[in-house]
């Protein structure tokens, strides 16, 4: 594991291992609510109910055509924020004079602190029992996702947004551009129409990351939630754990080795996929991948710190002659230094810095000329809606100009340039990549 240059074969393997694993019983036409079984929003309602974002009524119904109040919208959004795989800024200010005893006051105050609800939109009173309009929900969701009215909209789609403020026009048009919101068949957006519960479920499902992975209560090797224990994800033989100290590239490393029944079992592959996502949610990015006969090794690094993790899957462990899975923990800031240099050279805010979510991978990829260049890769299943478009907006706001197209790891990429720096942005089968090209 002394050479970490990504090959096409390794890319295919990692892409397989990082397949999104969302929990969606509605895909099998199952529903918890009898009145949504044949509804257009059945899958969204079921998905959001399973994630704890929405709930039904005491009689077991959901009432998808029912209107949503502002207080109910705040409750839904607060729950959505709680299941995000990243944290939001806590810099909002202000208050309302009519929520002191309201049942949704905590959610409303939470959203104010996070800047999702801004008191100047309503004046001194929020009106928590009033129906929430489509434009209000879209506005709050777009703020939750990190979009700013200073961004650009590709084109105006809806003729009935002229009476809105410039900021609200941006939110509605941008929401349609990223696939969050849709207009009606007649081509209108109807921003002032009351939001229904079914529409709310659909908007929330589109806004939230596809993969849902709860890290709450997971045991970890470090005694806090930084490196989850891999046996919580991958089936291992009970009592097979051996632990001890070793050396890795001259550094002390803590080793945890498990025996497996079958290293090729689908449960092992699926468990590794979820474990790699769990590492990503704990700010670890894959910085290396190498495969040899009978073994696959992956190296992860905290790109904001000095902790590193490697995971090795062997068909036959040299000590036991049985399939094994090894996790090693050691200190190294080499990848973090490279990443900080990458971000400084890029000169624009990334999803990592704005949402507290690390890239799934930070590796060397080959550009169209075969030159290896540093590239950050995000798992699209963990990103907020429209993250790629949001990043493109940030490049343009930072003074980058669209220049044309190139090839990034075999996929078409859009090139943005600013002075001596260019960035190639591309989507790769469930991943989103940004390559830095210093001319």
């Amino acid at each position: 594991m002394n050479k970490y240059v990504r090959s096409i074969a390794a890319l295919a393997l990692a892409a397989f291992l990082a397949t999104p694993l969302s929990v969606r019983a509605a895909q099998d036409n199952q529903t918890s609510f009898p009145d949504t079984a044949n509804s257009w929003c059945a899958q969204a309602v079921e998905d959001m109910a399973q994630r704890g974002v929405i709930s039904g009524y005491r009689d077991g119904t959901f009432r998808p055509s029912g209107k949503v109040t502002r207080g109910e919208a705040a409750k839904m959004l607060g729950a959505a924020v709680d299941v995000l795989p990243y944290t939001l800024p806590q810099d909002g200010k202000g208050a309302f004079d009519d929520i002191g005893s309201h049942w949704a006051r905590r959610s409303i105050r939470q959203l104010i602190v996070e800047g999702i609800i801004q008191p100047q939109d309503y004046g001194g009173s929020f009106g928590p029992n009033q129906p929430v309009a489509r434009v209000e929900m879209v506005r709050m969701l777009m703020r939750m996702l990190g979009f700013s009215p200073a961004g650009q909209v590709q084109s105006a789609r809806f003729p009935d947004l002229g009476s809105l403020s410039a900021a609200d026009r941006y939110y509605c048009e941008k929401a349609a551009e990223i696939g969050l919101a849709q207009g009606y068949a007649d081509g209108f957006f109807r921003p002032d129409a009351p939001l229904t519960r079914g529409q709310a479920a659909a908007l929330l499902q589109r806004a939230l990351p596809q993969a849902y992975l709860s890290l709450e209560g997971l045991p970890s090797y470090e005694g806090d939630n930084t490196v989850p224990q891999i046996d919580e994800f991958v089936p291992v033989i009970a009592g097979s754990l051996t632990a001890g100290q070793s050396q890795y590239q001259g550094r002390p490393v803590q080793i945890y080795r498990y025996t497996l029944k079958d290293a090729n079992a689908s449960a092992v592959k699926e468990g590794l996929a979820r474990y790699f996502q769990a590492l990503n949610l704990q700010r670890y990015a894959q910085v290396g991948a190498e495969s040899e006969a009978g073994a696959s090794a992956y190296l992860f690094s905290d790109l904001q710190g000095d902790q590193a993790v490697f995971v090795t899957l062997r068909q036959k462990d040299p000590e036991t002659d049985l399939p094994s899975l090894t996790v090693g923990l050691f200190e190294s800031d080499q990848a973090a230094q490279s990443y900080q240099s990458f971000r400084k050279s890029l000169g624009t805010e990334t999803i990592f810095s704005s949402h507290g979510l690390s890239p799934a991978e930070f590796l060397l990829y080959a550009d169209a000329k075969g030159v290896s260049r540093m590239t950050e890769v995000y798992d699209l299943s963990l990103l907020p809606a429209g993250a790629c478009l949001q990043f493109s907006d940030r490049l343009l706001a930072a003074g980058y100009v669209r220049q044309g197209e190139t090839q990034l790891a075999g996929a078409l990429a859009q090139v943005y340039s600013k002075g001596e720096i260019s960035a190639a942005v591309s989507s790769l089968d469930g991943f989103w990549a940004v390559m830095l090209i210093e001319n």
Side-chain angles (χ1 to χ4, degrees):
M1 290 178 62
N2 56 1
K3 184 179 181 181
Y4 291 102
V5 178
R6 168 61 75 76
S7 67
I8 296 299
L11 174 62
L13 176 62
F16 171 78
L17 288 174
T19 300
L21 295 169
S22 300
V23 179
R24 298 187 183 218
Q27 290 179 344
D28 299 324
N29 296 320
Q30 300 173 2
T31 178
S32 301
F33 307 102
D35 58 341
T36 64
N38 298 313
S39 173
W40 66 272
C41 61
Q43 179 175 317
V45 170
E46 188 67 22
D47 191 4
M48 292 300 95
Q50 288 183 1
R51 298 196 193 194
V53 175
I54 59 176
S55 59
Y57 290 89
R58 292 182 179 178
D59 62 2
T61 63
F62 183 76
R63 305 176 195 175
S65 299
K67 302 300 186 292
V68 180
T69 68
R70 289 174 178 166
E72 289 170 338
K75 182 70 173 179
M76 294 176 185
L77 279 161
V81 170
D82 289 342
V83 302
L84 287 173
Y86 46 81
T87 57
L88 297 179
Q90 306 280 305
D91 52 10
K93 297 179 181 179
F96 295 110
D97 58 16
D98 60 344
I99 64 169
S101 59
H102 195 270
W103 63 268
R105 61 188 179 278
R106 291 184 179 178
S107 297
I108 297 169
R109 287 169 179 158
Q110 171 194 352
L111 299 183
I112 292 174
V113 170
E114 291 162 340
I116 296 172
I117 292 176
Q118 296 180 4
Q120 60 265 32
D121 294 331
Y122 299 93
S125 301
F126 182 62
N129 295 321
Q130 294 183 28
V132 67
R134 279 166 54 85
V135 64
E136 292 178 80
M137 190 67 164
V138 167
R139 178 201 300 147
M140 290 186 284
L141 282 169
M142 293 298 282
R143 287 172 177 165
M144 182 186 83
L145 298 177
F147 283 88
S148 167
Q152 299 185 15
V153 177
Q154 200 168 49
S155 62
R157 305 184 184 196
F158 305 105
D160 59 338
L161 301 181
S163 62
L164 301 181
S165 67
D168 282 345
R169 287 199 303 274
Y170 166 83
Y171 287 133
C172 293
E173 294 283 6
K174 201 68 171 181
E177 195 175 327
I178 68 174
L180 173 66
Q182 300 174 351
Y184 288 84
D186 58 6
F188 289 91
F189 191 86
R190 301 180 189 171
D192 297 322
L195 185 77
T196 68
R197 287 171 55 81
Q199 290 172 340
L203 286 170
L204 288 161
Q205 186 194 41
R206 295 174 194 147
L208 289 175
Q210 297 173 26
Y212 176 54
L213 182 63
S214 176
L215 302 181
E216 185 176 355
L218 280 178
S220 65
Y221 294 118
E222 295 293 299
D224 54 19
N225 272 347
T226 54
V227 183
Q229 291 182 193
I230 202 167
D231 55 325
E232 294 291 312
F233 297 82
V234 177
V236 302
I237 294 179
S240 67
L241 170 64
T242 60
Q245 293 282 338
S246 185
Q247 291 283 320
Y248 176 74
Q249 294 185 349
R251 300 183 181 92
V253 55
Q254 181 67 31
I255 298 291
Y256 301 88
R257 182 183 291 110
Y258 304 84
T259 300
L260 305 172
K261 292 182 179 179
D262 181 2
N264 294 317
S266 60
V268 173
K269 296 179 180 179
E270 292 172 3
L272 280 177
R274 293 182 71 85
Y275 186 67
F276 289 177
Q277 287 184 330
L279 287 176
N280 187 209
L281 295 179
Q282 298 287 310
R283 290 200 328 222
Y284 288 91
Q286 183 180 323
V287 295
E290 190 172 42
S291 296
E292 299 176 352
S296 299
Y298 308 90
L299 181 64
F300 295 81
S301 177
D302 178 355
L303 298 181
Q304 287 188 321
D306 59 1
Q307 181 85 345
V309 180
F310 67 75
V311 178
T312 304
L313 178 66
R314 293 187 177 91
Q315 299 297 323
K316 287 187 177 182
D317 192 279
E319 294 187 13
T320 64
D321 207 31
L322 296 172
S324 72
L325 188 61
T326 301
V327 176
L329 311 178
F330 62 100
E331 292 185 0
S332 172
D333 62 358
Q334 183 176 356
Q337 290 178 5
S338 297
Y339 187 66
Q340 294 306 318
S341 176
F342 171 91
R343 289 180 58 194
K344 185 177 179 179
S345 297
L346 191 63
T348 188
E349 189 177 35
T350 66
I351 298 299
F352 185 3
S353 58
S354 63
H355 289 82
L357 181 69
S358 75
E361 303 166 15
F362 179 58
L363 295 168
L364 290 171
Y365 282 82
D367 65 11
K369 297 180 180 179
V371 179
S372 294
R373 301 185 185 277
M374 283 295 183
T375 306
E376 63 175 1
V377 181
Y378 290 93
D379 183 345
L380 284 172
S381 69
L382 294 176
L383 285 183
C388 306
L389 199 57
Q390 184 188 114
F391 181 73
S392 298
D393 285 350
R394 289 174 177 172
L395 287 175
L396 295 172
Y400 282 78
V401 178
R402 289 189 182 96
Q403 294 293 333
E405 297 175 341
T406 187
Q407 291 286 319
L408 170 54
L412 194 64
Q414 179 67 51
V415 177
Y416 297 80
S417 295
K418 177 183 178 182
E420 297 300 314
I421 301 296
S422 295
V425 182
S426 179
S427 292
L428 314 162
D429 294 331
F431 295 93
W432 167 56
V434 180
M435 174 185 286
L436 181 66
I437 304 173
E438 298 185 69
N439 300 324

